[in-house]
Amino acid sequence: MVLGKNSRGEGTKLSNYCSTVSVAVFVAFCLVGVWIIMSTIVPIQNPVIQVSETISDVKDVQSDSKQFEERSGDIPEESTEGDSQTLKPQSDSFAESQNEQKEIGEVSDKMANENQEVVRESSDAKNDFEKDPGNTAEENDQMRNVKPSTDEKEKESDGTLNSDSAETETLNGEIHNDELRGSMDTLDEKESDKSANDNKLGTEKSMDKVTQQDEIVNETEEETAKINTHSETTQSSGESNTDSHENNQASKNDFITDTQSETLIETSAENGTWSTQATESQHEKESQKSSVSIDSRRYDWKLCNTTTGSEYIPCLDNWQAIRRLQSIRHYEHRERHCPDEATTCLVSLPEGYRSPIRWPKSREMIWYKNAPHTKLVEVKGHQNWVKDAGEYLTFPGGGTQFKHGALHYIEFIQKSLPKIAWGKRSRVILDVGCGVASFGGYLFEKDVLTMSFAPKDVHEAQVQFALERGIPATLGVMGTVRLPYPASVFDLVHCARCRVPWHLEGGRLLLELNRVLRPGGYFVWSATPVYQKDPESVEIWKAMGEITVSMCWDLVVIAKDKLNGVAAAIYRKPTDNECYNNRIKNEPPMCNESDDPNTAWNVSLQACMHKVPIDASERGSIWPEQWPLRLEKPPYWINSQAGVYGRAAAVEFIADHKHWKNVLFRSYLNGMGINWSSVRNVMDMRAVYGGFAAALRTLKVNVWVMNVVPIDSPDTLPIIYERGLFGIYHDWCESFNTYPRSYDLLHADSILSTLKKKCNIVAVIAEVDRILRPEGYLVVRDNAETIGEIESMAKSLNWDIRLTYSKNGEGLLCIQKTFWRPTKVETIASAIA
């Protein structure tokens, strides 16, 4: 009995012991399972998501998508099956660079084929895992943001993920006093034929394959990226950014995981290779030091209290300076007179302002309350400039010389001289005294880009109307200084009763047109002296005849437009110097050889002419390629030059264009939260070669771009015009010659960090706020410190942060202006009339 009792007792103990062990083992396995899951899945607890560089998709890239990148932020890292790419000395010939590109293209194609298989394997495995019916939508979303395992990080330290293409022309740098300094980020886009539904995470197996291919590539630094996606804001227009918001949400993972970069040392260009407007014109400005803290809590934004209110333009509304002028004979009161200290206040909105009507409907009508002026309706309504239609202002498309519409007038010019060839030979033109810019607005139908300008004068709000309509225009006057454009860049200049006295003072103002007109270009003058016989008109016509003959301009044709009851005289600028050399009188005189015709910023007008370039290697000696070929083909005259970044200029030109096409396609058009259907007027604040604008055109985005070349940057504006685009010189320490709320998008690539050193950066952002429309976008690419400062200021302005991204000290920021205005007011003494 005792034995039996003891036996039962031992059995009970054994049973309890086994149960305990089983529970312990089960718990242990559960803990291990939880640990494994937690080590691979990062729950999304905050709007800021930290992502490691090792999570990247390897995509198939065509050989023509080799990258050129100035700042990291959205483009993959460059790598090849050879030595890591570095910049060659600038003495390398263009031919050598082309051979180098061809070789890299072949390597790129080979690597693309290899990596495509890797992507397929990794995507299949990944999709099988994510399509598990047991996964919730939230879990699947979390799986798209998985951190790499420890093993993967160790593998990454031995080599980088393979990029499918490499660009030898990696270009970047800070520009200061004719020297190019700074580091260059060589970034390559990775593209795949896979659909947007394909996930961007590679399996460990695919990572092994890729790192084996990349053993020879430099060690990759770990990146940190953050994406802040904020809710979209819609205003009274009733047009929301819902589609854009959805695209941003869908593509943010693609945007992050496809981003890698490596930093190379930039090869500086030879001193003097590229001059700057600041140096040429000796317009050295004293640096303005910003005393405003970057702490957003310390910003104290105020509304500007000025005479012009919601239409305040600091450099044109400086009444203190205007009152001190000793003469206004040469329109000095219409020229720039910037305040001694840049303003930091914000311009108010007109009462009832709403989001602009979208292009192309905006060409015919705008909201009255956005530009509440009716004076032109009263004085120009009978000429079909503009009409009052209640809550709208409508634009029938007429003008002083084309009451029956701009299209008929444009066809009339073409028929009068077929060689003009709108949209082929004549691509970039200048319209002087543009009115409401209907001429330029309807030339878009001929694929012609028109730089329209007029002064801020008695023709109330004419340029404001043009910009509100979505037509390029700027404020300017032909007065005492040169126009802010290079020499010999416009294919045609147009003046339809533009109120400019060309015949006075020996044709001083006409000589300025001669400076900016291409050799062989046309001047179309449609004005009353051409066809009316009253004494004043006859006198002016006689004087114009004498001046144009002495300038060696040929009067090609005088044509009559019977429908409008007007006529136009069309002149042609010479293409050689034979006429100049054979003149009996040297009047007007030839300019001194020391006078640079390209010097344009704050340079006094010179009553002289520059010789026509005749050397085959000189710009202006040969007419550009017909449009649109000229957009992507390097100009003939840069073949022998070193570029901005130290490589051959032609190589940099091509690389720049390819780079921006990929950046736009990969991120700007889909991954930044930008509603492109609401974007029409665009400004590139630092254009360099104009690649950003050219890429927008290539990708058929229906916008126009004002390319700005800062006066202390290399003078690349002639290249921009040569490729069939347009632009202007500007000093960003001063306000821009445009009305408030003129642009839908501003692009600031590697410029704000430079401006911080010489300007009040708060004043610069206040100027950005002035010229940007509510619901418009600012895209900033710069160093991480600057990105942080701008983001801080944007938050203090109550702007929406659409995207912020940083990596290896570089960053990308996309922010959207709102309708917010401060309540405090600051009186600007200089702007009180």
Side-chain angles (χ1 to χ4, degrees), residues 12-27:
T12 300
K13 291 180 181 179
L14 181 61
S15 176
N16 292 338
Y17 175 78
C18 292
S19 298
T20 301
V21 171
S22 299
V23 171
V25 171
F26 177 78
V27 170

Side-chain angles (χ1 to χ4, degrees), residues 445-499:
E445 298 192 12
K446 300 294 184 181
D447 216 359
V448 174
L449 197 56
T450 308
M451 176 70 79
S452 301
F453 81 94
K456 186 180 183 183
D457 62 6
V458 294
H459 290 88
E460 186 182 52
Q462 55 186 341
V463 168
Q464 184 180 24
F465 287 160
L467 290 162
E468 187 71 15
R469 297 172 68 190
I471 301 171
T474 185
L475 289 162
V477 65
M478 301 202 70
T480 66
V481 297
R482 288 178 174 175
L483 297 172
Y485 316 116
S488 304
V489 291
F490 290 104
D491 305 331
L492 180 147
V493 177
H494 173 255
C495 162
R497 289 186 67 177
C498 56
R499 299 169 63 92

